[in-house]
Short mmCIF file of all heavy atoms in Angstrom, two decimals:
data_model
loop_
_atom_site.label_atom_id
_atom_site.label_comp_id
_atom_site.label_asym_id
_atom_site.label_seq_id
_atom_site.Cartn_x
_atom_site.Cartn_y
_atom_site.Cartn_z
N LEU A 1 151.97 -122.82 57.92
CA LEU A 1 153.25 -122.97 57.29
C LEU A 1 153.39 -121.87 56.24
O LEU A 1 152.48 -121.65 55.45
CB LEU A 1 153.36 -124.34 56.64
CG LEU A 1 154.57 -124.59 55.76
CD1 LEU A 1 155.83 -124.65 56.61
CD2 LEU A 1 154.40 -125.89 55.01
N VAL A 2 154.51 -121.22 56.23
CA VAL A 2 154.81 -120.22 55.21
C VAL A 2 155.96 -120.74 54.38
O VAL A 2 156.98 -121.16 54.92
CB VAL A 2 155.20 -118.86 55.84
CG1 VAL A 2 155.65 -117.88 54.77
CG2 VAL A 2 154.05 -118.29 56.64
N VAL A 3 155.78 -120.73 53.07
CA VAL A 3 156.82 -121.17 52.16
C VAL A 3 157.21 -119.98 51.30
O VAL A 3 156.35 -119.35 50.68
CB VAL A 3 156.33 -122.33 51.25
CG1 VAL A 3 157.40 -122.72 50.26
CG2 VAL A 3 155.90 -123.52 52.09
N VAL A 4 158.47 -119.67 51.28
CA VAL A 4 158.99 -118.57 50.46
C VAL A 4 159.87 -119.19 49.39
O VAL A 4 160.71 -120.03 49.69
CB VAL A 4 159.79 -117.57 51.32
CG1 VAL A 4 160.37 -116.46 50.47
CG2 VAL A 4 158.93 -117.02 52.44
N GLY A 5 159.68 -118.77 48.15
CA GLY A 5 160.47 -119.36 47.09
C GLY A 5 160.55 -118.46 45.88
O GLY A 5 160.11 -117.32 45.89
N HIS A 6 161.13 -119.00 44.83
CA HIS A 6 161.33 -118.28 43.58
C HIS A 6 160.55 -118.97 42.47
O HIS A 6 160.12 -120.11 42.59
CB HIS A 6 162.82 -118.26 43.21
CG HIS A 6 163.64 -117.45 44.16
ND1 HIS A 6 163.77 -116.09 44.03
CD2 HIS A 6 164.37 -117.80 45.24
CE1 HIS A 6 164.54 -115.63 45.00
NE2 HIS A 6 164.92 -116.66 45.75
N GLU A 7 160.39 -118.26 41.40
CA GLU A 7 159.73 -118.79 40.23
C GLU A 7 160.70 -119.61 39.40
O GLU A 7 161.88 -119.30 39.38
CB GLU A 7 159.19 -117.63 39.37
CG GLU A 7 157.83 -117.17 39.83
CD GLU A 7 156.79 -118.25 39.74
OE1 GLU A 7 156.30 -118.53 38.64
OE2 GLU A 7 156.49 -118.85 40.77
N PRO A 8 160.23 -120.63 38.74
CA PRO A 8 158.84 -121.06 38.61
C PRO A 8 158.41 -122.08 39.67
O PRO A 8 157.27 -122.53 39.67
CB PRO A 8 158.82 -121.71 37.22
CG PRO A 8 160.18 -122.31 37.10
CD PRO A 8 161.11 -121.35 37.81
N THR A 9 159.29 -122.42 40.58
CA THR A 9 158.99 -123.46 41.56
C THR A 9 157.78 -123.16 42.42
O THR A 9 156.95 -124.03 42.67
CB THR A 9 160.22 -123.72 42.46
OG1 THR A 9 161.34 -124.01 41.63
CG2 THR A 9 159.98 -124.85 43.41
N ILE A 10 157.63 -121.93 42.88
CA ILE A 10 156.56 -121.62 43.82
C ILE A 10 155.18 -121.68 43.14
O ILE A 10 154.23 -122.19 43.72
CB ILE A 10 156.80 -120.27 44.54
CG1 ILE A 10 156.04 -120.21 45.84
CG2 ILE A 10 156.54 -119.09 43.67
CD1 ILE A 10 156.58 -121.09 46.92
N SER A 11 155.06 -121.20 41.92
CA SER A 11 153.76 -121.28 41.24
C SER A 11 153.43 -122.71 40.85
O SER A 11 152.27 -123.14 40.97
CB SER A 11 153.72 -120.36 40.02
OG SER A 11 154.67 -120.75 39.06
N VAL A 12 154.41 -123.47 40.41
CA VAL A 12 154.18 -124.88 40.06
C VAL A 12 153.73 -125.65 41.30
O VAL A 12 152.79 -126.45 41.24
CB VAL A 12 155.44 -125.51 39.43
CG1 VAL A 12 155.29 -127.02 39.30
CG2 VAL A 12 155.73 -124.88 38.08
N THR A 13 154.36 -125.40 42.42
CA THR A 13 153.99 -126.08 43.67
C THR A 13 152.56 -125.73 44.07
O THR A 13 151.76 -126.61 44.40
CB THR A 13 154.97 -125.72 44.80
OG1 THR A 13 156.29 -126.12 44.41
CG2 THR A 13 154.60 -126.39 46.09
N ALA A 14 152.23 -124.45 44.05
CA ALA A 14 150.88 -124.02 44.43
C ALA A 14 149.82 -124.59 43.49
O ALA A 14 148.78 -125.09 43.94
CB ALA A 14 150.80 -122.49 44.46
N LEU A 15 150.08 -124.56 42.19
CA LEU A 15 149.12 -125.10 41.23
C LEU A 15 148.99 -126.62 41.36
O LEU A 15 147.91 -127.17 41.17
CB LEU A 15 149.52 -124.73 39.80
CG LEU A 15 149.30 -123.27 39.44
CD1 LEU A 15 149.98 -122.93 38.11
CD2 LEU A 15 147.81 -122.94 39.38
N THR A 16 150.07 -127.29 41.68
CA THR A 16 150.04 -128.74 41.86
C THR A 16 149.22 -129.12 43.09
O THR A 16 148.45 -130.08 43.06
CB THR A 16 151.47 -129.31 41.97
OG1 THR A 16 152.17 -129.02 40.76
CG2 THR A 16 151.47 -130.80 42.22
N LEU A 17 149.37 -128.37 44.15
CA LEU A 17 148.65 -128.68 45.39
C LEU A 17 147.17 -128.32 45.31
O LEU A 17 146.33 -128.96 45.94
CB LEU A 17 149.30 -127.96 46.57
CG LEU A 17 150.66 -128.48 47.01
CD1 LEU A 17 151.26 -127.56 48.06
CD2 LEU A 17 150.56 -129.90 47.53
N ALA A 18 146.84 -127.28 44.54
CA ALA A 18 145.46 -126.80 44.48
C ALA A 18 144.55 -127.83 43.81
O ALA A 18 144.89 -128.41 42.79
CB ALA A 18 145.40 -125.48 43.73
N GLY A 19 143.39 -128.02 44.41
CA GLY A 19 142.43 -128.98 43.87
C GLY A 19 141.01 -128.49 44.05
O GLY A 19 140.74 -127.28 44.00
N ARG A 20 140.10 -129.44 44.29
CA ARG A 20 138.69 -129.10 44.48
C ARG A 20 138.53 -128.09 45.60
O ARG A 20 139.25 -128.09 46.58
CB ARG A 20 137.89 -130.35 44.84
CG ARG A 20 137.59 -131.19 43.63
CD ARG A 20 136.68 -132.30 44.00
NE ARG A 20 137.46 -133.23 44.86
CZ ARG A 20 136.95 -134.30 45.42
NH1 ARG A 20 135.69 -134.61 45.26
NH2 ARG A 20 137.72 -135.09 46.15
N GLY A 21 137.57 -127.22 45.43
CA GLY A 21 137.31 -126.20 46.43
C GLY A 21 138.13 -124.95 46.24
O GLY A 21 138.00 -124.00 47.01
N SER A 22 139.01 -124.94 45.23
CA SER A 22 139.84 -123.76 44.97
C SER A 22 139.02 -122.65 44.34
O SER A 22 138.10 -122.90 43.56
CB SER A 22 141.01 -124.12 44.05
OG SER A 22 141.91 -124.97 44.70
N ASP A 23 139.38 -121.43 44.66
CA ASP A 23 138.76 -120.26 44.06
C ASP A 23 139.20 -120.17 42.60
O ASP A 23 140.40 -120.10 42.32
CB ASP A 23 139.18 -119.01 44.85
CG ASP A 23 138.57 -117.75 44.28
OD1 ASP A 23 139.17 -117.20 43.32
OD2 ASP A 23 137.52 -117.32 44.78
N ARG A 24 138.24 -120.17 41.71
CA ARG A 24 138.54 -120.19 40.27
C ARG A 24 139.33 -118.97 39.80
O ARG A 24 140.28 -119.08 39.04
CB ARG A 24 137.24 -120.31 39.48
CG ARG A 24 137.45 -120.46 38.01
CD ARG A 24 136.15 -120.66 37.30
NE ARG A 24 136.40 -120.79 35.88
CZ ARG A 24 135.51 -121.19 35.02
NH1 ARG A 24 134.32 -121.51 35.43
NH2 ARG A 24 135.80 -121.27 33.76
N ARG A 25 138.94 -117.80 40.27
CA ARG A 25 139.64 -116.57 39.87
C ARG A 25 141.08 -116.58 40.38
O ARG A 25 141.99 -116.15 39.69
CB ARG A 25 138.92 -115.33 40.38
CG ARG A 25 137.66 -115.05 39.64
CD ARG A 25 137.03 -113.77 40.12
NE ARG A 25 135.75 -113.57 39.44
CZ ARG A 25 134.88 -112.67 39.79
NH1 ARG A 25 135.15 -111.85 40.80
NH2 ARG A 25 133.76 -112.53 39.14
N ALA A 26 141.26 -117.07 41.60
CA ALA A 26 142.62 -117.16 42.16
C ALA A 26 143.47 -118.12 41.34
O ALA A 26 144.64 -117.84 41.06
CB ALA A 26 142.56 -117.59 43.62
N LEU A 27 142.90 -119.25 40.94
CA LEU A 27 143.63 -120.22 40.11
C LEU A 27 144.04 -119.60 38.78
O LEU A 27 145.17 -119.78 38.32
CB LEU A 27 142.78 -121.46 39.84
CG LEU A 27 142.75 -122.53 40.92
CD1 LEU A 27 141.71 -123.59 40.58
CD2 LEU A 27 144.12 -123.16 41.09
N GLU A 28 143.12 -118.89 38.15
CA GLU A 28 143.41 -118.26 36.86
C GLU A 28 144.52 -117.21 36.99
O GLU A 28 145.42 -117.15 36.16
CB GLU A 28 142.15 -117.64 36.27
CG GLU A 28 141.14 -118.68 35.82
CD GLU A 28 139.79 -118.08 35.44
OE1 GLU A 28 139.61 -116.83 35.56
OE2 GLU A 28 138.90 -118.84 35.03
N ALA A 29 144.45 -116.40 38.03
CA ALA A 29 145.46 -115.36 38.25
C ALA A 29 146.82 -115.98 38.54
O ALA A 29 147.84 -115.53 38.01
CB ALA A 29 145.04 -114.43 39.39
N LEU A 30 146.83 -117.01 39.38
CA LEU A 30 148.09 -117.68 39.72
C LEU A 30 148.71 -118.34 38.48
O LEU A 30 149.91 -118.26 38.27
CB LEU A 30 147.82 -118.73 40.80
CG LEU A 30 149.04 -119.31 41.49
CD1 LEU A 30 148.68 -119.78 42.87
CD2 LEU A 30 149.63 -120.46 40.71
N ALA A 31 147.88 -118.96 37.65
CA ALA A 31 148.37 -119.61 36.44
C ALA A 31 148.90 -118.60 35.43
O ALA A 31 149.81 -118.91 34.65
CB ALA A 31 147.27 -120.45 35.81
N ASP A 32 148.34 -117.39 35.45
CA ASP A 32 148.77 -116.36 34.51
C ASP A 32 150.15 -115.83 34.85
O ASP A 32 151.01 -115.71 33.98
CB ASP A 32 147.75 -115.22 34.50
CG ASP A 32 148.09 -114.15 33.49
OD1 ASP A 32 148.42 -114.50 32.34
OD2 ASP A 32 148.05 -112.96 33.87
N LYS A 33 150.37 -115.50 36.13
CA LYS A 33 151.66 -114.94 36.54
C LYS A 33 151.74 -114.94 38.06
O LYS A 33 150.76 -114.67 38.74
CB LYS A 33 151.81 -113.50 36.02
CG LYS A 33 153.16 -112.89 36.30
CD LYS A 33 153.28 -111.51 35.68
CE LYS A 33 154.67 -110.95 35.96
NZ LYS A 33 154.84 -109.62 35.42
N PHE A 34 152.92 -115.23 38.59
CA PHE A 34 153.17 -115.17 40.03
C PHE A 34 154.28 -114.15 40.25
O PHE A 34 155.45 -114.48 40.37
CB PHE A 34 153.59 -116.55 40.55
CG PHE A 34 153.40 -116.75 42.03
CD1 PHE A 34 152.55 -117.72 42.49
CD2 PHE A 34 154.07 -115.96 42.95
CE1 PHE A 34 152.37 -117.93 43.85
CE2 PHE A 34 153.91 -116.15 44.31
CZ PHE A 34 153.05 -117.14 44.76
N PRO A 35 153.90 -112.85 40.31
CA PRO A 35 154.91 -111.80 40.41
C PRO A 35 155.57 -111.74 41.78
O PRO A 35 155.08 -112.30 42.76
CB PRO A 35 154.13 -110.52 40.12
CG PRO A 35 152.72 -110.84 40.43
CD PRO A 35 152.55 -112.32 40.22
N THR A 36 156.65 -111.00 41.85
CA THR A 36 157.35 -110.76 43.11
C THR A 36 156.37 -110.21 44.14
O THR A 36 155.56 -109.35 43.83
CB THR A 36 158.50 -109.75 42.88
OG1 THR A 36 159.38 -110.29 41.90
CG2 THR A 36 159.25 -109.48 44.16
N SER A 37 156.44 -110.71 45.33
CA SER A 37 155.64 -110.35 46.50
C SER A 37 154.22 -110.92 46.49
O SER A 37 153.44 -110.63 47.39
CB SER A 37 155.59 -108.83 46.74
OG SER A 37 154.67 -108.20 45.86
N ALA A 38 153.88 -111.72 45.50
CA ALA A 38 152.55 -112.33 45.46
C ALA A 38 152.40 -113.35 46.58
O ALA A 38 153.38 -113.94 47.04
CB ALA A 38 152.30 -112.99 44.11
N ILE A 39 151.16 -113.56 47.01
CA ILE A 39 150.87 -114.49 48.09
C ILE A 39 149.74 -115.42 47.66
O ILE A 39 148.67 -114.96 47.26
CB ILE A 39 150.44 -113.73 49.36
CG1 ILE A 39 151.55 -112.78 49.81
CG2 ILE A 39 150.06 -114.70 50.47
CD1 ILE A 39 151.09 -111.76 50.84
N ALA A 40 150.00 -116.72 47.73
CA ALA A 40 148.98 -117.72 47.47
C ALA A 40 148.63 -118.37 48.81
O ALA A 40 149.51 -118.84 49.52
CB ALA A 40 149.49 -118.78 46.50
N VAL A 41 147.35 -118.38 49.16
CA VAL A 41 146.91 -118.98 50.42
C VAL A 41 146.16 -120.26 50.09
O VAL A 41 145.12 -120.23 49.42
CB VAL A 41 146.00 -118.01 51.21
CG1 VAL A 41 145.50 -118.67 52.49
CG2 VAL A 41 146.74 -116.72 51.52
N LEU A 42 146.71 -121.38 50.56
CA LEU A 42 146.11 -122.69 50.35
C LEU A 42 145.65 -123.25 51.69
O LEU A 42 146.30 -123.04 52.71
CB LEU A 42 147.11 -123.65 49.70
CG LEU A 42 147.57 -123.21 48.32
CD1 LEU A 42 149.05 -122.95 48.33
CD2 LEU A 42 147.20 -124.24 47.30
N ARG A 43 144.54 -123.98 51.68
CA ARG A 43 144.02 -124.59 52.91
C ARG A 43 144.04 -126.10 52.76
O ARG A 43 143.66 -126.64 51.73
CB ARG A 43 142.58 -124.13 53.16
CG ARG A 43 141.95 -124.74 54.40
CD ARG A 43 140.50 -124.28 54.61
NE ARG A 43 139.71 -124.09 53.41
CZ ARG A 43 139.11 -125.07 52.73
NH1 ARG A 43 139.22 -126.30 53.10
NH2 ARG A 43 138.40 -124.77 51.66
N PHE A 44 144.51 -126.76 53.81
CA PHE A 44 144.53 -128.22 53.84
C PHE A 44 144.04 -128.68 55.20
O PHE A 44 144.61 -128.31 56.22
CB PHE A 44 145.95 -128.76 53.58
CG PHE A 44 146.05 -130.25 53.70
CD1 PHE A 44 145.46 -131.06 52.76
CD2 PHE A 44 146.74 -130.83 54.74
CE1 PHE A 44 145.54 -132.45 52.87
CE2 PHE A 44 146.84 -132.20 54.85
CZ PHE A 44 146.24 -133.01 53.91
N ASP A 45 142.97 -129.45 55.20
CA ASP A 45 142.40 -129.97 56.44
C ASP A 45 142.74 -131.45 56.53
O ASP A 45 142.08 -132.28 55.90
CB ASP A 45 140.89 -129.77 56.46
CG ASP A 45 140.50 -128.31 56.41
OD1 ASP A 45 141.17 -127.51 57.07
OD2 ASP A 45 139.54 -127.97 55.69
N GLY A 46 143.77 -131.75 57.27
CA GLY A 46 144.16 -133.15 57.42
C GLY A 46 145.58 -133.25 57.92
O GLY A 46 146.28 -132.25 58.05
N PRO A 47 146.03 -134.45 58.18
CA PRO A 47 147.41 -134.64 58.64
C PRO A 47 148.40 -134.46 57.49
O PRO A 47 148.08 -134.72 56.33
CB PRO A 47 147.42 -136.08 59.16
CG PRO A 47 146.32 -136.76 58.43
CD PRO A 47 145.28 -135.71 58.15
N TRP A 48 149.60 -134.00 57.81
CA TRP A 48 150.64 -133.79 56.81
C TRP A 48 150.90 -135.04 55.98
O TRP A 48 151.23 -134.95 54.80
CB TRP A 48 151.94 -133.33 57.46
CG TRP A 48 151.88 -131.92 57.92
CD1 TRP A 48 151.76 -131.49 59.20
CD2 TRP A 48 151.93 -130.75 57.11
NE1 TRP A 48 151.72 -130.11 59.23
CE2 TRP A 48 151.84 -129.63 57.97
CE3 TRP A 48 152.05 -130.53 55.74
CZ2 TRP A 48 151.85 -128.33 57.50
CZ3 TRP A 48 152.07 -129.23 55.28
CH2 TRP A 48 151.98 -128.15 56.14
N SER A 49 150.73 -136.19 56.58
CA SER A 49 151.00 -137.44 55.87
C SER A 49 150.05 -137.66 54.69
O SER A 49 150.33 -138.46 53.81
CB SER A 49 150.91 -138.63 56.83
OG SER A 49 149.61 -138.72 57.39
N ARG A 50 148.95 -136.94 54.65
CA ARG A 50 147.98 -137.07 53.54
C ARG A 50 148.05 -135.94 52.52
O ARG A 50 147.25 -135.89 51.59
CB ARG A 50 146.57 -137.16 54.10
CG ARG A 50 146.37 -138.44 54.87
CD ARG A 50 144.94 -138.66 55.13
NE ARG A 50 144.80 -139.90 55.89
CZ ARG A 50 143.68 -140.42 56.23
NH1 ARG A 50 142.55 -139.82 55.91
NH2 ARG A 50 143.62 -141.53 56.92
N LEU A 51 149.00 -135.05 52.69
CA LEU A 51 149.15 -133.95 51.74
C LEU A 51 149.67 -134.49 50.42
O LEU A 51 150.72 -135.13 50.35
CB LEU A 51 150.12 -132.89 52.29
CG LEU A 51 150.34 -131.66 51.41
CD1 LEU A 51 149.04 -130.89 51.25
CD2 LEU A 51 151.41 -130.78 52.01
N ARG A 52 148.90 -134.28 49.37
CA ARG A 52 149.24 -134.75 48.02
C ARG A 52 148.78 -133.70 47.00
O ARG A 52 148.02 -132.80 47.31
CB ARG A 52 148.51 -136.06 47.69
CG ARG A 52 148.74 -137.20 48.64
CD ARG A 52 149.98 -137.99 48.29
NE ARG A 52 150.12 -139.20 49.07
CZ ARG A 52 150.51 -139.27 50.33
NH1 ARG A 52 150.79 -138.18 51.00
NH2 ARG A 52 150.64 -140.42 50.96
N ALA A 53 149.19 -133.90 45.78
CA ALA A 53 148.76 -133.03 44.68
C ALA A 53 147.23 -133.02 44.62
O ALA A 53 146.59 -134.06 44.73
CB ALA A 53 149.34 -133.52 43.36
N GLY A 54 146.69 -131.82 44.47
CA GLY A 54 145.25 -131.66 44.32
C GLY A 54 144.45 -131.77 45.61
O GLY A 54 143.23 -131.75 45.57
N ARG A 55 145.11 -131.84 46.75
CA ARG A 55 144.39 -132.03 48.02
C ARG A 55 144.20 -130.76 48.84
O ARG A 55 143.67 -130.81 49.94
CB ARG A 55 145.12 -133.06 48.89
CG ARG A 55 145.15 -134.44 48.31
CD ARG A 55 144.12 -135.32 48.99
NE ARG A 55 144.12 -136.66 48.46
CZ ARG A 55 144.56 -137.72 49.12
NH1 ARG A 55 145.06 -137.60 50.32
NH2 ARG A 55 144.50 -138.92 48.55
N THR A 56 144.63 -129.62 48.31
CA THR A 56 144.42 -128.36 49.04
C THR A 56 143.44 -127.49 48.26
O THR A 56 143.13 -127.77 47.10
CB THR A 56 145.73 -127.57 49.22
OG1 THR A 56 146.13 -127.03 47.97
CG2 THR A 56 146.83 -128.43 49.81
N ALA A 57 142.95 -126.45 48.89
CA ALA A 57 142.09 -125.48 48.22
C ALA A 57 142.83 -124.15 48.19
O ALA A 57 143.28 -123.66 49.22
CB ALA A 57 140.77 -125.33 48.97
N LEU A 58 142.97 -123.61 47.00
CA LEU A 58 143.55 -122.27 46.86
C LEU A 58 142.45 -121.29 47.24
O LEU A 58 141.44 -121.18 46.55
CB LEU A 58 144.03 -122.03 45.44
CG LEU A 58 144.60 -120.64 45.15
CD1 LEU A 58 145.86 -120.40 45.96
CD2 LEU A 58 144.87 -120.47 43.67
N GLU A 59 142.63 -120.62 48.37
CA GLU A 59 141.60 -119.71 48.85
C GLU A 59 141.73 -118.31 48.27
O GLU A 59 140.73 -117.65 48.02
CB GLU A 59 141.63 -119.64 50.38
CG GLU A 59 141.21 -120.94 51.00
CD GLU A 59 141.04 -120.85 52.50
OE1 GLU A 59 141.66 -119.97 53.12
OE2 GLU A 59 140.28 -121.67 53.03
N THR A 60 142.96 -117.85 48.10
CA THR A 60 143.16 -116.51 47.55
C THR A 60 144.55 -116.41 46.94
O THR A 60 145.46 -117.16 47.29
CB THR A 60 142.96 -115.42 48.64
OG1 THR A 60 142.99 -114.14 48.01
CG2 THR A 60 144.02 -115.49 49.70
N PHE A 61 144.68 -115.49 46.02
CA PHE A 61 145.96 -115.16 45.41
C PHE A 61 146.01 -113.64 45.32
O PHE A 61 145.15 -113.02 44.71
CB PHE A 61 146.07 -115.79 44.01
CG PHE A 61 147.37 -115.44 43.32
CD1 PHE A 61 148.56 -116.00 43.74
CD2 PHE A 61 147.37 -114.56 42.26
CE1 PHE A 61 149.76 -115.68 43.11
CE2 PHE A 61 148.56 -114.24 41.62
CZ PHE A 61 149.75 -114.80 42.05
N THR A 62 146.99 -113.04 45.96
CA THR A 62 147.06 -111.60 46.08
C THR A 62 148.44 -111.08 45.70
O THR A 62 149.45 -111.70 46.04
CB THR A 62 146.77 -111.18 47.54
OG1 THR A 62 145.50 -111.71 47.92
CG2 THR A 62 146.75 -109.67 47.69
N VAL A 63 148.45 -109.95 45.02
CA VAL A 63 149.69 -109.24 44.73
C VAL A 63 149.57 -107.92 45.49
O VAL A 63 148.87 -107.01 45.06
CB VAL A 63 149.89 -109.00 43.23
CG1 VAL A 63 151.20 -108.29 42.97
CG2 VAL A 63 149.82 -110.33 42.48
N PRO A 64 150.25 -107.81 46.66
CA PRO A 64 150.06 -106.64 47.51
C PRO A 64 150.58 -105.32 46.96
O PRO A 64 150.16 -104.27 47.39
CB PRO A 64 150.82 -106.98 48.80
CG PRO A 64 151.41 -108.31 48.62
CD PRO A 64 151.10 -108.79 47.26
N ARG A 65 151.47 -105.35 46.01
CA ARG A 65 151.98 -104.08 45.47
C ARG A 65 151.29 -103.76 44.18
O ARG A 65 150.81 -104.64 43.48
CB ARG A 65 153.49 -104.13 45.28
CG ARG A 65 153.94 -105.19 44.30
CD ARG A 65 155.45 -105.32 44.30
NE ARG A 65 155.83 -106.41 43.44
CZ ARG A 65 156.21 -106.29 42.19
NH1 ARG A 65 156.27 -105.10 41.64
NH2 ARG A 65 156.57 -107.33 41.49
N GLY A 66 151.25 -102.52 43.83
CA GLY A 66 150.53 -102.09 42.64
C GLY A 66 151.33 -102.07 41.41
O GLY A 66 152.38 -102.41 41.19
#
């Protein structure tokens, strides 16, 4: 699933979903700033019906432009 959105909704959503197993550096970078074109990759192993706050792992946070 790809979700495209604007700030502050997209960073709040990603931080809310991220839980145990998240990459610490990615969490810190995402919490600091979610600039234009940034990509947060979250992993969720389970049925959609069980998706809740803190149930995904933030695997990476990347800003592709310099």
Side-chain angles (χ1 to χ4, degrees):
L1 172 69
V2 174
V3 177
V4 178
H6 293 276
E7 275 299 282
T9 305
I10 203 72
S11 62
V12 170
T13 301
L15 287 169
T16 299
L17 289 173
R20 281 186 291 177
S22 292
D23 180 275
R24 185 177 179 168
R25 287 184 184 169
L27 278 172
E28 290 171 358
L30 193 154
D32 183 47
K33 185 176 181 181
F34 201 118
T36 301
S37 78
I39 300 166
V41 177
L42 297 117
R43 179 181 36 81
F44 176 69
D45 299 319
W48 286 105
S49 61
R50 293 193 180 183
L51 182 63
R52 304 274 188 284
R55 295 258 180 109
T56 72
L58 178 64
E59 293 188 335
T60 188
F61 178 72
T62 304
V63 181
R65 61 188 175 97

